[in-house]
Amino acid sequence: MKYESQKIAQNFYTFAVLLFLVQVLVGIIAALQFIWPDFFPLKFNIIRDLHINALVVWLLMGLMGATYYVVPEESQSELWSIPLAKFQFWATVVAVTAVVLGYIWMGFDPQANKFVAGTLLLNEGREYIEAPRWADWLIALSVILFLINNFMTMYKSKRWTGIQGTLLGGLTFLALMYLPGMFYTKSMVKDQFWWWWVIHLWVEGAWEVIAGALLAFMLMKVTNAERHVLERWMYIEVGLVLFTGILGTGHHYYWIGTPKYWLWVGGIFSSLEPIPLLLMVWDAFRTTRKHRVVTNRLGLFYATSHAIFNFVGAGLWGVIHTLPQVNKWTHGTQITTAHGHLAFYGAYVLLVMSMIYITLPLIRGVNEFNTSRGYRSFWWMTISMIFIVLTLTGAGMVQTYMERLIGLDYVTVKATYNFWFWALRAIFGVGFLYGAWLFVIDFFKLGKEPVEVTSTATETVA
Amino acid sequence: MSNRGVRNLFVFGSLFFFVIFVALTFDTMKRLDKRAPEITAEVDEGKKLWHKYDCIGCHTILGNGSYFAPDLTKVTVNKPEGYLEKFLVNPKKVKSTAAMPALGITPDEAKKLVAFLDWVSKVDTNGWPPKPVLATFRMPQTPGVTVYQKYGCSSCHMISGVGGTSGPDLTKVASRRPDPEWHKRHLREPSALVPDSAMPAYPQISDEELNQLVDYLLTLK
């Protein structure tokens, strides 16, 4: 770490990893509610709102922290304003806490979610963007302050690099794509149409652009690869992400009441979406093979795993059900849940973790740290997640066959035929929780324990 | 190609695709109103209640949402409206095994929610959800079975694993209720025999159909 202001990243990382733990804990409650719907005082909808909102917020916090690390380094100057960054951090923490308390309140008293001045007070009742309108404005304000701080840093240093330009471009795109979720439409069709602008153009657009930029940064950081080569491939990757991903939004417009031409547009472009993700995997391996000097093996391990599981989870598990001919039968089944879990884990959970493992030792000023807990955490989480995804895929196939093709009742299939899939998913969820717990412990202890002789972070591979 | 060239390809290429996307969005917005019925004040009120009670936290609609409870796109086609209105107010009273909690929905709110769901069921969804391949399950085609299918009994009741779960399973109904007169009265006016029943009355069934249907039900032992 060269600049004092990069330390602010640690605040964001800390809040992120704590929310991650909350996300996994409530995820296990939700998994058990598939078997016993009434066992917990808060019902499934509230638990799920907490599960997916904690996910979105902790990933955003992680990406913000990572950006606060990258921008001073790339601009070769201190951050424009540290007090502003601190204010932005604490304001976000307060807003997020208020939203969470609101969800819990509503869980105990559904009638508390009243209309005030035309908008709902506690929960907007729209998947992923449940946060009420007043919180939307606070989130938007926080993101704007964050963007101003980073743009001013770049502007004052007059040093524009491809990596930080792409990173900030992705983050600006992310901020703009929050807006289509902030108005009411009377038509449920239009509601879902604009809602996909937010959801799809985030996870299959802006966030993947951010991932491409951070991957290039991480590879540069842990190997001695040349910047211009990494940036060239980055432009190709994020270019292909947007060339395929923007019109790929069409795969959400097959069955929601939108015109038929979306079947063609969505089918063709979304089928191409895995290509840039495969390029990222190739990029990670090519860079590692070519540049044998690795300064942080655990960090590189996480970064490469992120590239692989981004391709498998977001790419392969997405493409299997993206053609309209297939999607007609699988739309709205557990196949989507399986895809969602592996995609978020591979594309974004591992991305934020690899950024943490690469930048946190530098923030804490250590060259070497114990890596064994980091590897153990990875294997507990990854193996558990693979099995969670396999059980959900199995449940989705059973559901598609029995409910959609044969015509059995939804409740019958869920309660009877898929029982063991739910049970196994909950068990593997506990395995994932253990891995996440190891990671959080490692986060707090990294660089503060004596380094064991057998485990070194800095190594030159012959 | 230089890095600057690749960068420009990325920036302008992305803008190019975004412009196409915006153009398609405009075109779609122009066509949407023709693909769905008019939105009345009651439908709009129902949609607001849909958001208020965070229904999407458990259900999917148009296939999007949570995957914890049934998709509601065609629910008003498959279930009688009277049933839905009673169910929404107090789910476990209507069906003891229901996972849905009582949310404090008033009868008036239930009516509006059903109006909203009915609007959704009439949207042109390019044929989704598709009809199951084996929708008409193989049963002996007796006159009673024909009546059973004509009045859509299987959307709520199950026989040998096929059918809905909103009403009681009829696989062995004749063992529980062997009296044909009970069935005839019950079908004409369910709530007269079963207090709190959410099953709609079927005064429109002719006497001949009623006899055929009850004959069929009595074979289910």
Side-chain angles (χ1 to χ4, degrees), chain A residues 30 33-34 37-38 43-46 48-49 106 110-111 113-115 120 123-127 130 166 173 177 184-197 201 209 227-229 231-232 235-236 238-239 242-243 246-247 249-250 252-263 265 269 327-329 331-334 336-337 403-412 414 417, chain B residues 1-4 6-7 9-15 17-18 20-25 27-29 31-33 35-36 39 43-45 47-58 60-71 79 92 95 98-99 101-106 109 116 119-120 123-135 155 158 161-166:
Chain A
Q33 284 175 324
F34 266 76
D38 292 322
K43 293 291 175 269
F44 180 84
N45 65 324
I46 301 296
R48 185 181 190 268
D49 292 352
M106 178 189 165
Q111 296 298 333
N113 191 28
K114 288 188 192 331
F115 277 94
L120 284 159
N123 187 321
E124 245 177 54
R126 298 175 76 203
E127 192 191 6
E130 283 93 350
T166 308
F173 186 35
M177 285 308 111
Y184 178 79
T185 48
K186 284 186 175 183
S187 156
M188 194 60 188
V189 178
K190 290 178 187 167
D191 188 307
Q192 294 208 350
F193 186 92
W194 292 114
W195 175 76
W196 280 121
W197 268 58
L201 292 177
V209 171
R227 174 187 287 276
H228 72 272
V229 179
E231 288 192 340
R232 173 175 306 178
Y235 284 133
I236 294 172
V238 297
L242 293 184
F243 297 174
I246 291 173
L247 288 175
T249 316
H252 301 292
Y253 296 156
Y254 295 161
W255 324 116
I256 65 165
T258 32
K260 227 170 192 162
Y261 56 71
W262 286 109
L263 269 64
V265 177
F269 281 90
N327 195 261
K328 185 175 185 178
W329 300 100
H331 178 53
T333 67
Q334 297 292 329
T336 317
T337 323
E403 185 197 341
R404 295 290 165 75
L405 274 107
I406 292 188
L408 295 192
D409 185 74
Y410 171 91
V411 176
T412 312
K414 182 187 165 206
Y417 301 105
Chain B
M1 203 188 282
S2 68
N3 268 18
R4 182 181 285 268
V6 187
R7 187 193 67 192
L9 186 67
F10 155 56
V11 172
F12 293 108
S14 303
L15 277 176
F17 283 103
F18 199 75
I20 295 181
F21 185 58
V22 170
L24 287 175
T25 295
D27 183 72
T28 299
M29 284 296 149
R31 293 166 192 250
L32 284 187
D33 290 339
R35 299 174 59 90
I39 301 168
V43 170
D44 184 41
E45 289 282 306
K47 181 172 182 281
K48 285 182 175 146
L49 291 164
W50 166 268
H51 293 302
K52 174 186 167 184
Y53 289 108
D54 190 26
C55 306
I56 210 152
C58 290
T60 49
I61 194 161
L62 299 166
N64 295 313
S66 306
Y67 312 91
F68 186 72
D71 185 81
K79 302 275 190 264
K92 285 192 168 69
K95 183 186 160 195
L103 296 165
I105 298 172
T106 64
E109 287 182 326
F116 162 68
W119 181 87
V120 172
V123 170
D124 177 358
T125 55
N126 296 330
W128 193 87
K131 285 252 180 297
V133 178
L134 302 175
S155 61
M158 185 181 287
V162 180
T165 55
S166 304

Side-chain angles (χ1 to χ4, degrees), chain B residues 61 70 75 80 88 93 97 103 111 116 138 167 169 174 180 211 215:
Chain B
I61 194 161
V75 70
L88 284 168
K93 195 170 166 189
T97 56
L103 296 165
K111 253 187 138 56
F116 162 68
R138 285 166 190 273
D169 188 321
N211 285 330
D215 283 347

Side-chain angles (χ1 to χ4, degrees), chain B residues 29-211:
Chain B
M29 284 296 149
K30 272 199 304 201
R31 293 166 192 250
L32 284 187
D33 290 339
K34 290 189 201 114
R35 299 174 59 90
E38 201 191 329
I39 301 168
T40 63
E42 195 182 24
V43 170
D44 184 41
E45 289 282 306
K47 181 172 182 281
K48 285 182 175 146
L49 291 164
W50 166 268
H51 293 302
K52 174 186 167 184
Y53 289 108
D54 190 26
C55 306
I56 210 152
C58 290
H59 292 276
T60 49
I61 194 161
L62 299 166
N64 295 313
S66 306
Y67 312 91
F68 186 72
D71 185 81
L72 298 180
T73 311
K74 298 284 178 190
V75 70
T76 58
V77 178
N78 295 326
K79 302 275 190 264
E81 286 193 7
Y83 171 86
L84 290 174
E85 284 172 19
K86 281 189 184 169
F87 183 84
L88 284 168
V89 171
N90 194 343
K92 285 192 168 69
K93 195 170 166 189
V94 168
K95 183 186 160 195
S96 61
T97 56
M100 181 163 159
L103 296 165
I105 298 172
T106 64
D108 177 55
E109 287 182 326
K111 253 187 138 56
K112 289 171 178 164
L113 275 165
V114 170
F116 162 68
L117 292 169
D118 199 44
W119 181 87
V120 172
S121 78
K122 295 191 176 104
V123 170
D124 177 358
T125 55
N126 296 330
W128 193 87
K131 285 252 180 297
V133 178
L134 302 175
T136 47
F137 52 95
R138 285 166 190 273
M139 288 203 301
Q141 280 300 322
T142 61
V145 172
T146 311
V147 178
Y148 186 83
Q149 289 171 340
K150 178 181 170 187
Y151 290 96
C153 307
S154 74
S155 61
C156 293
H157 295 281
M158 185 181 287
I159 296 174
S160 305
V162 180
T165 55
S166 304
D169 188 321
L170 300 180
T171 312
K172 289 183 185 299
V173 66
S175 310
R176 289 197 308 272
R177 298 268 179 207
D179 177 13
E181 289 311 310
W182 185 91
H183 283 292
K184 286 177 190 166
R185 278 185 64 201
H186 178 250
L187 282 159
R188 287 274 188 241
E189 202 188 347
S191 55
L193 294 173
V194 182
D196 296 329
S197 173
M199 176 164 152
Y202 285 87
Q204 69 273 40
I205 301 183
S206 72
D207 286 343
E208 192 194 349
E209 285 177 330
L210 191 65
N211 285 330

Side-chain angles (χ1 to χ4, degrees), chain A residues 198-217:
Chain A
V198 184
I199 308 303
H200 178 94
L201 292 177
W202 268 28
V203 296
E204 287 165 63
W207 289 33
E208 288 285 3
V209 171
I210 295 165
L214 290 179
L215 182 67
F217 178 81

